Amino acid sequence: MTFSLLDISALVWFIVSWAGYTAFARRKAKDTDCIARGLHKHRIYWMLEVMTRGVRVGDAALLANLERNIAFFASTTLFVLAGVLTLFAQVERLESVIATIPFATPPNHALVQVKLALLVSIFVMAFFQFTWSMRQYGFVNVMIGAGPLDSDGSNDNLKAYARQMATVQDQAAHSYNYGLRAYYFSMAVLCWFVHPILFISASLFVVATLYRREFKSRAVLAITAAKGHLQIESQVRETARNHKIVS
């Protein structure tokens, strides 16, 4: 099993790109406005509002919609896995297809199997992330069902409970995000079947795309601005509540 230095370098670059961006995004989200940071604040406000509602059917419907999206990706991942595993029995045919692609490197039988194994590993990990995300959203449903009513939103104990619900929901969203990220990077692995240089370029492109969407997109600007509006509204309500208590 002989691999070229370029193939090994491309694989190392891919792993470093994925792991490095994950660590970078997690650290940067702590002090920089981004989708993850903004939505975490929205989830806190959402769960605080949930505690003041006697009827929570609408909230349950919203959570069910989120779970359906994740279930779609989880089931799709199984189909993709079945397709990739089938290719192990068709390696020779896959090599003949690769050989017809212009500028593609000559296919290496063992290396093609390694590439397929990498795809299998990625989609297995994605499946675990999606199913864990679904379970955590189920936990949030249980916590909402167990949460007592705080009609005027003045119970500090229930506010803390709402923040814990938001934390569980936030973890579910992170797992969903990790699963989607696996799909993004699997697109880069497909380029490895053509040429390792294309694989390196695709890995860099995926990182740049993820960074732009999670930190620099118009959605981030809108979510951040909306967070400010919710904060102002929360302060107004808190002030009015305090005046009511005093009077």
Side-chain angles (χ1 to χ4, degrees):
M1 187 182 296
T2 57
F3 302 149
S4 70
L5 180 60
L6 185 56
D7 281 307
I8 295 174
S9 300
L11 179 58
V12 171
W13 174 263
F14 170 77
I15 295 173
V16 170
S17 297
W18 191 346
Y21 178 76
T22 300
F24 165 81
R26 186 184 297 116
R27 184 174 60 252
K28 192 174 179 62
K30 293 179 180 179
D31 55 10
T32 305
D33 288 328
C34 62
I35 289 179
R37 182 182 176 88
L39 288 181
H40 176 61
K41 295 296 184 181
H42 279 73
R43 293 184 187 105
I44 292 176
Y45 289 126
W46 180 11
M47 293 300 104
L48 288 172
E49 287 296 314
V50 166
M51 301 307 296
T52 64
R53 296 170 186 160
V55 179
R56 299 166 182 173
V57 177
D59 303 291
L62 290 173
L63 287 171
N65 184 57
L66 292 173
E67 289 184 77
R68 278 195 297 271
N69 292 335
I70 303 168
F72 167 77
F73 276 102
S75 58
T76 300
T77 302
L78 288 178
F79 288 122
V80 174
L81 267 174
V84 175
L85 290 172
T86 303
L87 287 176
F88 276 100
Q90 304 289 335
V91 174
E92 291 80 8
R93 184 176 297 180
L94 179 60
E95 290 173 354
S96 64
V97 172
I98 295 173
T100 62
I101 300 176
F103 307 109
T105 56
N108 180 323
H109 188 79
L111 185 57
V112 169
Q113 291 181 321
V114 170
K115 295 172 183 177
L116 290 175
L118 179 59
L119 280 176
V120 168
S121 301
I122 290 173
F123 285 111
V124 166
M125 185 189 69
F127 177 76
F128 284 157
Q129 293 290 352
F130 287 136
T131 52
W132 179 230
S133 178
M134 289 173 60
R135 288 195 66 191
Q136 290 181 98
Y137 274 117
F139 302 157
V140 176
N141 277 316
V142 173
M143 295 178 76
I144 289 176
L149 177 64
D150 180 20
S151 56
D152 58 357
S154 59
N155 190 319
D156 291 335
N157 183 54
L158 292 182
K159 286 182 180 179
Y161 182 81
R163 289 187 175 88
Q164 294 303 320
M165 288 196 297
T167 298
V168 176
Q169 190 181 7
D170 196 52
Q171 292 303 306
H174 281 311
S175 296
Y176 178 48
N177 189 35
Y178 293 150
L180 287 179
R181 197 173 290 170
Y183 266 74
Y184 276 85
F185 280 99
S186 69
M187 299 298 104
V189 176
L190 291 178
C191 296
W192 194 14
F193 286 91
V194 179
H195 199 283
I197 293 296
L198 186 60
F199 183 29
I200 294 173
S201 301
S203 300
L204 183 60
F205 175 77
V206 168
V207 170
T209 300
L210 289 173
Y211 175 77
R212 186 174 65 253
R213 292 183 177 181
E214 294 183 12
F215 292 93
K216 299 295 183 181
S217 65
R218 294 182 65 181
V220 172
L221 297 177
I223 291 171
T224 302
K227 179 184 67 176
H229 297 318
L230 285 176
Q231 184 175 6
I232 294 172
E233 182 64 22
S234 177
Q235 291 172 350
V236 170
R237 291 187 180 185
E238 188 68 25
T239 301
R241 188 181 300 116
N242 292 336
H243 282 311
K244 183 178 179 181
I245 294 174
V246 171
S247 60

